[in-house]
Amino acid sequence: SQAVRQALHDASDHLPVVADFEVYSPIGVSITESNGNTAVSENGTTDSYEVVLDSVPTSNVTVDITPDGELDLGSGAGVAITLTFTPANALAAQTVSVSAVDDLDVEGLHFSSLQHSVASGDADYDGFPISPISVSISDNDGTATSSVLLNEVFVNNPGTDSNLEYVEILGTPSS
């Protein structure tokens, strides 16, 4: 109750000071990937991750997130988005939705990355480093191959009628 709080406050004026202390709030930006990673597919499977500040800044903090051309964060392929944290919402996680661009390239399972940069009038947060996020992308355009068997030839080595071998003629697929 308010009366109890006031009584404790009034009594504390008569107690000796034992130690000075300061509450420490770590400066940082935390990223939490769903299931510990970020994985999307060209067939429409999306994923997301959360971004939150570890302490309340003295002024607004912006986190720019830049995908490469293989990813879309809701503004188009390769288009960056900005998250804004204010002193009022700094400790509330903001969600970033990630989707793959459905191209026609046969790439198999491949990887892309999301880059982060931080700007703020709060010197502790301005330029704070955030590691990029690696995103695995499942392709829906077939299996990537580096070569294709064009023909196999049975060869007789010169000067002998034994030691017959098969020779494979490989080629690289072209678009």
Side-chain angles (χ1 to χ4, degrees), residues 16-100:
V17 175
V18 176
D20 285 335
F21 66 92
E22 185 177 325
V23 175
Y24 173 70
S25 295
I27 304 301
V29 179
S30 292
I31 292 182
T32 304
E33 295 177 84
S34 61
N35 299 318
N37 62 41
T38 304
V40 297
S41 67
E42 290 183 8
N43 69 3
T45 302
T46 63
D47 204 347
S48 64
Y49 65 97
E50 292 184 335
V51 181
V52 66
L53 301 186
D54 294 340
S55 62
V56 177
T58 58
S59 65
N60 290 357
V61 175
T62 58
V63 178
D64 290 333
I65 306 170
T66 306
D68 63 17
E70 295 272 343
L71 297 173
D72 185 344
L73 303 179
S75 296
V79 177
I81 63 167
T82 300
L83 304 178
T84 301
F85 294 92
T86 66
N89 76 356
L91 302 179
Q94 295 186 37
T95 302
V96 178
S97 296
V98 183
S99 62

Side-chain angles (χ1 to χ4, degrees), residues 105-109 139-146 173:
D105 298 333
V106 176
E107 301 162 294
L109 178 65
D139 194 17
N140 64 350
D141 297 309
T143 304
T145 57
S146 58

Side-chain angles (χ1 to χ4, degrees), residues 14 25 32 58 85 100 114 130 136 147 154-156 160 169 171-173:
H14 305 293
S25 295
T32 304
T58 58
F85 294 92
L114 296 168
I130 302 175
S136 65
S147 63
F154 192 67
V155 177
N156 184 358
T160 179
I169 301 172
T172 302

Side-chain angles (χ1 to χ4, degrees), residues 86-139:
T86 66
N89 76 356
L91 302 179
Q94 295 186 37
T95 302
V96 178
S97 296
V98 183
S99 62
V101 174
D102 187 9
D103 57 28
L104 298 176
D105 298 333
V106 176
E107 301 162 294
L109 178 65
H110 56 292
F111 294 87
S112 190
S113 69
L114 296 168
Q115 304 296 320
H116 302 82
S117 62
V118 179
S120 178
D122 182 327
D124 288 331
Y125 275 100
D126 190 42
F128 189 86
I130 302 175
S131 297
I133 290 182
S134 179
V135 180
S136 65
I137 304 173
S138 297
D139 194 17

Side-chain angles (χ1 to χ4, degrees), residues 1-7:
S1 77
Q2 180 63 26
V4 172
R5 281 192 291 246
Q6 186 61 44

